[in-house]
Amino acid sequence: RHSFPTRRSSDLFELIFHIKHIRKDDIMKIEDVINRINILYKKSQEEGLTEEETLEQKELRQRYIDNVKSNFRAQLETIEKK
């Protein structure tokens, strides 16, 4: 069992991402993606982002967009022509 230093709750996802044996794609639900995007946006406005965080923000935004497109396609595929 690992012992981690106490962190603010906004840093919880950052801590999770640093656990090397778990990939972030494996652990993040879309709600988590949205929450992390919002955390990074707020941080970018308040103090700025590191290069790593900027890249993470870009990747998470793309993942969100891809999810929206996928869901939209799935909905379109259920529509029956008359």
Side-chain angles (χ1 to χ4, degrees), residues 31-45:
E31 294 85 10
D32 297 329
V33 170
I34 293 167
N35 288 335
R36 183 64 179 159
I37 289 169
N38 290 334
I39 289 168
L40 290 170
Y41 173 77
K42 184 178 178 184
K43 184 177 179 191
S44 75
Q45 297 300 305

Side-chain angles (χ1 to χ4, degrees), residues 22-77:
I22 299 176
R23 291 179 29 224
K24 70 180 148 180
D25 290 343
D26 294 336
I27 60 171
M28 289 189 79
K29 297 178 185 175
I30 196 63
E31 294 85 10
D32 297 329
V33 170
I34 293 167
N35 288 335
R36 183 64 179 159
I37 289 169
N38 290 334
I39 289 168
L40 290 170
Y41 173 77
K42 184 178 178 184
K43 184 177 179 191
S44 75
Q45 297 300 305
E46 293 175 352
E47 59 189 270
L49 299 175
T50 65
E51 285 183 38
E52 183 179 286
E53 289 169 329
T54 301
L55 179 60
E56 177 187 0
Q57 184 183 47
K58 182 179 178 181
E59 290 171 354
L60 291 172
R61 285 176 172 170
Q62 189 59 54
R63 181 172 174 184
Y64 175 77
I65 290 168
D66 292 345
N67 181 269
V68 170
K69 287 179 182 180
S70 174
N71 288 340
F72 186 66
R73 267 189 221 104
Q75 287 180 343
L76 288 176
E77 289 172 2

